[in-house]
Amino acid sequence: MDRLDTLTAISPIDGRYRGKTAQLSGYFSEYALIQYRIRVEIEYFIALCELPLPQLREFDSSLFPKLRAIYENLTEEGAQRVKDIEKVTNHDVKAVEYYIKEKLDEIGGFEHFKEFIHFGLTSQDINNTSVPLSIKEALENVMYPLLDQLVELLRSYAEEWSQVPMLAKTHGQPASPTRLGKEIMVYVYRLSQQIDQLKACPITAKFGGATGNFNAHHVAYPETDWREFGNKFVAEKLGLQREAYTTQISNYDAMGAVFDALRRINTIIIDLDRDFWMYISMEYFKQKIKKGEVGSSAMPHKVNPIDFENSEGNLALSNAILQFLAAKLPVSRLQRDLTDSTVLRNVGVPFGHTVIAVESTLKGLRKLILNEQKLDEDLEDNWAVVAEAIQTILRREAYPNPYEALKQLTRTNQKMTRQTIHDFVCGLDVDQKIKEQLLAITPHNYTGM
């Protein structure tokens, strides 16, 4: 089985779930990493020409589009050529440099300029710009649109069901009623808050030469302010923020913050998945049935909430990896060790599991059918929940020991019904208008603001 496809892939991200995760291959695959590396190298060379360095003043800027075409039009065959060069160099970034020089020879006219490819840089100046750039663009082009779909679907449900009363459950027990739409709006609010926090996280890059001091740059061109150049290059060409003080590698603190922010979003969706799983088990929702689908291999009647379960499992796996990445990457021995290199190649994995999860949550939500009759039955079956309302109004009226009176009434094995509550209210020594107000309270209308 040398041929890799969805059946032979080891990871379900590239196997079973390839249909959901294929869009991420443009950001986190080996091909994508090579393309990002070429892009950084080319844009760096162009920035040196625009500076300009004395030896690059004569470079024809009309060739810039041809340079950019090297990464913009990179084919799988081109990426494979980089991998073939790597077999000789045993160094992935050096292989990119040699590949670019080959392409420059094909274009022609670069004989006196091509040694400024990768000029003064170390491999981490390329890796620690390429990977953050891939994360930034994956967030912008894949994650944010997908999360927006989830938030907007939840918002539409919140509006549609804004007036649907529902029995609340605290500690798993009947509690003061709420509205279904409001409970869904809680998730809209929480997700929106955390998505904003994720978007506020700076995406930073290390770009400062071998040990972060622009040593090679400075010794070659001491009159140039290389820190200013680096800041401008990273910000204007790549859309990232340059880390001002680093070792040979990125500090990874900002990347860790991104992973932690994404983990909080995942955790909220896990909470959502579990709630809707419970609502389905309580029969507050039925699920749309697709012809031909099987819920259980043994029990023909079953329609399982598998989409929410699939989502929860993938989110838990994503969070485990995100937590590891956020904890591991900022730690390195002295000015660098190589442990970050192999770990960085896995940054797309939690993105993949999150995409699988959110797609599953969306699928589960779209299958929901509101069973309003069951919500009404549960409310009618739990008249004890109006006790809070009654004792609060009695407190307002300075009725003696109202909490204790309602506690004595409701904390028995006797079932609280409409009649039980009304008999209690009618026996109170209060004004008739107060009794009328209390008698008007039901589990269906005691839902707050």
Side-chain angles (χ1 to χ4, degrees):
M1 288 191 179
D2 291 336
R3 181 170 168 268
L4 178 63
D5 58 25
T6 56
L7 287 175
T8 60
I10 295 173
S11 167
I13 290 175
D14 289 319
R16 181 178 181 86
Y17 301 117
R18 180 67 178 178
K20 293 181 178 180
T21 61
Q23 56 190 326
L24 290 174
S25 66
Y27 306 95
F28 299 119
S29 64
E30 186 74 2
Y31 166 87
L33 180 57
I34 291 170
Q35 187 176 44
Y36 275 110
R37 284 168 166 167
I38 296 172
R39 175 176 166 185
V40 173
E41 292 277 17
I42 294 295
E43 292 299 338
Y44 170 63
F45 177 82
I46 290 173
L48 292 177
C49 294
E50 293 173 338
L51 188 56
L53 291 181
Q55 285 79 2
L56 294 175
R57 284 197 176 100
E58 303 303 317
F59 186 80
D60 184 0
S61 61
S62 67
L63 292 173
F64 288 170
K66 289 187 177 181
L67 284 173
R68 290 190 166 106
I70 296 174
Y71 68 81
E72 290 173 344
N73 301 328
L74 180 69
T75 63
E76 288 189 27
E77 290 75 19
Q80 184 58 53
R81 175 57 187 155
V82 175
K83 298 300 293 182
D84 292 341
I85 296 171
E86 185 186 339
K87 291 176 183 177
V88 178
T89 62
N90 198 31
H91 195 288
D92 47 4
V93 176
K94 201 66 179 177
V96 166
E97 177 188 342
Y98 287 166
Y99 172 79
I100 293 172
K101 288 178 177 178
E102 284 186 356
K103 301 304 286 185
L104 296 185
D105 288 340
E106 291 176 14
I107 296 171
F110 285 88
E111 291 78 8
H112 302 297
F113 307 111
K114 66 180 183 180
E115 285 309 316
F116 284 92
I117 298 294
H118 202 71
F119 178 79
L121 300 181
T122 185
S123 57
Q124 287 307 101
D125 294 315
I126 304 304
N127 292 330
N128 290 159
T129 46
S130 296
V131 175
L133 187 54
S134 71
I135 290 173
K136 176 178 180 288
E137 294 184 345
L139 286 171
E140 292 173 346
N141 299 326
V142 179
M143 293 305 303
Y144 293 147
L146 187 60
L147 290 170
D148 286 344
Q149 282 187 54
L150 177 59
V151 170
E152 289 312 306
L153 180 58
L154 291 170
R155 192 188 304 276
S156 69
Y157 281 159
E159 293 173 357
E160 180 181 352
W161 299 325
S162 62
Q163 300 305 312
V164 176
M166 181 180 78
L167 183 70
K169 293 286 184 72
T170 61
H171 308 277
Q173 306 301 307
S176 298
T178 183
R179 290 194 181 96
L180 176 58
K182 175 261 169 179
E183 296 308 312
I184 295 174
M185 197 64 196
V186 169
Y187 285 107
V188 174
Y189 173 75
R190 292 176 66 189
L191 286 170
S192 298
Q193 292 281 305
Q194 295 307 315
I195 291 170
D196 287 345
Q197 289 199 30
L198 175 58
K199 289 179 177 179
C201 289
I203 312 290
T204 67
K206 180 267 176 181
F207 192 83
T211 53
N213 307 334
F214 288 108
N215 297 36
H217 295 79
H218 182 67
V219 75
Y221 297 98
E223 69 282 359
T224 300
D225 188 340
W226 289 106
R227 282 175 295 190
E228 181 183 353
F229 169 85
N231 291 338
K232 184 177 180 181
F233 167 69
V234 172
E236 295 183 3
K237 296 291 187 180
L238 307 179
L240 306 171
Q241 294 183 29
R242 191 179 82 87
E243 297 168 19
Y245 296 93
T246 69
T247 59
Q248 188 175 0
I249 64 175
S250 168
N251 301 317
Y252 292 119
D253 302 322
M255 193 179 291
V258 169
F259 295 151
D260 285 338
L262 185 57
R263 190 157 53 92
R264 288 195 298 273
I265 291 170
N266 286 349
T267 300
I268 293 168
I269 302 173
I270 288 174
D271 200 21
L272 182 152
D273 288 333
R274 291 180 178 179
D275 275 2
F276 276 98
W277 188 98
M278 289 293 293
Y279 290 143
I280 291 169
S281 74
M282 293 155 58
E283 299 183 18
Y284 287 2
F285 292 103
K286 296 182 182 297
Q287 298 177 90
K288 294 175 184 176
I289 299 172
K290 187 175 181 181
K291 187 177 180 180
E293 283 190 351
V294 174
S296 167
S297 63
M299 295 172 279
H301 69 282
K302 295 191 74 178
V303 182
N304 297 326
I306 57 173
D307 300 304
F308 297 108
E309 294 168 346
N310 176 281
S311 175
E312 182 181 342
N314 276 284
L315 290 167
L317 188 52
S318 176
N319 276 2
I321 300 169
L322 289 169
Q323 185 172 21
F324 165 74
L325 291 171
K328 186 274 157 287
L329 285 172
V331 180
S332 181
R333 295 171 182 86
L334 303 180
Q335 280 64 55
R336 92 150 297 181
D337 63 41
L338 205 63
T339 55
D340 66 312
S341 178
T342 189
V343 168
L344 275 180
R345 291 181 177 275
N346 292 278
V347 297
V349 176
F351 279 76
H353 286 292
T354 296
V355 166
I356 294 166
V358 176
E359 291 280 9
S360 292
T361 297
L362 285 166
K363 184 179 178 183
L365 290 172
R366 289 170 179 145
K367 288 162 65 174
L368 296 177
I369 301 171
L370 179 62
N371 184 8
E372 205 162 348
Q373 178 182 345
K374 180 61 178 177
L375 275 78
D376 287 341
E377 288 175 359
D378 272 8
L379 287 166
E380 190 62 31
D381 200 40
N382 285 277
W383 270 81
V385 297
V386 302
E388 179 193 42
I390 295 171
Q391 64 99 5
T392 302
I393 291 176
L394 293 178
R395 281 174 183 263
R396 183 193 70 190
E397 299 301 318
Y399 189 88
N401 303 316
Y403 177 87
E404 288 72 19
L406 269 298
K407 177 182 175 183
Q408 182 178 358
L409 172 70
T410 57
R411 292 187 66 167
T412 67
N413 290 326
Q414 178 187 4
K415 181 176 178 59
M416 293 295 107
T417 64
R418 177 192 298 265
Q419 192 61 50
T420 308
I421 295 297
H422 283 197
D423 287 347
F424 173 82
V425 170
C426 291
L428 291 171
D429 185 17
V430 294
D431 187 86
Q432 184 59 32
K433 288 185 178 180
I434 302 301
K435 288 185 180 181
E436 291 174 2
Q437 183 181 4
L438 295 175
L439 292 171
I441 300 169
T442 75
H444 304 271
N445 64 24
Y446 180 51
T447 56
M449 298 175 63

